[in-house]
Each structure stands twice: as structure tokens, then as C-alpha cells.
Amino acid sequence: MKRIDVFTLVPDAFVWFLSQHPLADARAAGCVDVRVHNLRDHTRLSHREVDDTPYGGGPGMVIRVDVVAWAFEDVFEVAAERVREQREVLILAPSGRPFDQPLALALAASETDLVLVAGRFEGFDARVADVLASGQLSVGSFVMAGGELAAMAVVEALVRQIPGVLGNDESVREESFSDALAGGGEYPQYTRPREFLGAEVPTPLLSGNHALIAEWRREHTRGPL
């Protein structure tokens, strides 16, 4: 079973997320084990502190490397710097490697368990990446208040690729960015009603001719971004 550990300062953000399809079904079926850890629960500092002012000055607060290390040691029961020898440890950060569908597929297929570390404030002390992590991931060229939404995007994108999670594995065979569509965007989809405000369902999709439908879909598959 694939195990995913998420370290965050906002664990409550994941309560709703983990209760929704496909995560809830995947967890119930034993396809994936997702665990969310509050960094504050592992700090040795007074008043549950996790951050401090940056050396060199500047606005904001920086999450301390020792706080992350303590959390890793408590959860994995090995020296913090050795966690990445056994797991893929990825920090969610704007400057990280762009996350895309091929990477989601690779992470889903990997037998190595995954650790995602979501920051807040001004992010992490750089030594978290240098000493404790395998790498960094970015879900886009924009800045948010924290890495929680980015972590959710990574988790859902890879979990839905695990066989058995969606019930019908054909659901992921021919979708946006798949090999079946040559890495392009999925063709337009239609359902009832056949006509709405003058916009009608394309005739080939109503024909019942599977070859004609397949040809129409190929022609309307959007090219790779």
C-alpha cells in the first residue's frame, strides 16, 4: 500500500479533503494510506513555537529546521536526515520543480512512500531542503499563504492513478495529458439535453458509429500545452 505523509501547520485543512472521493474510497479500500501531521505537535520549543525571525533581517517568520527534524524523528523513528533514504521527501515551494502529469504518474507508480512538507509564513529554513528533503515541488508560478492546497493537488493527482482507486481504470487511460491523447487535452464532452439555447451536440456523437465517434474525438483533442 502506498503511504503518503503530509506535514503541515494547518492539519484541519485536510479533514474535508480526505473525506471526499477519490481519497476516502481509496483509503477505505486499502489502496493508499494518507497521514497528516501537525508540526506544532512535535516542537520542543516553548508555547508550541515552530518559527523564528530570519537571519539577515527581513519581514515575516521562517519555519525552523529543527522543528521539521523533530517531527520526522517522532513519526518515522529514525534520524531526520535519514528519512529521505527510505522515502521521497518533497517540500511544496514556488521555486520547486514544476508538478505535472508525468511526475504524478511516476510518483503513483513508485514503490517508495511519499512525504510532503507544506510551509507557511516565509517558508522553511533552507536547510530543510538541503539536509532533510529529496527535492521541492511547485504547482505553479504564483504565491499562496501556505503549501496545503499544493499538497492536496499533488496527493489527488497521484492517488487517482493508483490502480483500483477510481473503480474503472479506463477512466485514467484516455484523459487529459494521457499517452492515449498524445499528451494533449481531452476532447469536449456532452450529455443531455441534445440542444441548449441553440447549441447542439455534434452529430457524430449521436450516430452510434464507434469509428466515427473515435475519429471526431481524435480531431477535437487539444494539443499538448
Side-chain angles (χ1 to χ4, degrees), residues 55-187:
Y55 283 122
M61 303 290 281
V62 177
I63 299 174
R64 293 171 50 140
V65 61
D66 51 1
V67 169
V68 178
W70 290 327
F72 280 10
E73 290 170 355
D74 287 349
V75 171
F76 301 118
E77 299 181 331
V78 298
E81 65 273 19
R82 296 193 58 192
V83 173
R84 63 183 179 182
E85 297 174 6
Q86 304 166 347
R87 293 171 166 80
E88 187 79 8
V89 180
L90 300 175
I91 299 171
L92 284 309
S95 59
R97 172 184 175 181
F99 182 67
D100 55 16
Q101 188 70 359
L103 183 52
L105 290 167
L107 291 173
S110 173
E111 296 182 358
T112 303
D113 288 334
L114 179 64
V115 177
L116 298 175
V117 190
R120 283 262 148 181
F121 316 126
E122 291 298 309
F124 294 99
D125 182 304
R127 290 167 292 185
V128 175
D130 295 342
V131 180
L132 304 181
S134 310
Q136 301 185 73
L137 283 185
S138 170
V139 296
S141 300
F142 52 88
V143 179
M144 298 185 290
E148 289 74 27
L149 290 176
M152 292 179 200
V154 172
V155 170
E156 180 158 327
L158 74 90
V159 165
R160 67 191 306 277
Q161 298 295 332
I162 297 174
V165 166
L166 296 184
N168 183 356
D169 290 340
E170 288 296 307
S171 298
V172 297
R173 190 190 70 82
E174 191 171 283
E175 63 177 357
S176 293
F177 315 120
S178 65
D179 290 341
L181 299 183
E186 191 171 0
Y187 42 77

Side-chain angles (χ1 to χ4, degrees), residues 45-56:
L45 304 176
S46 59
H47 310 296
R48 304 186 78 207
E49 292 178 352
V50 296
D51 57 357
D52 211 329
T53 54
Y55 283 122

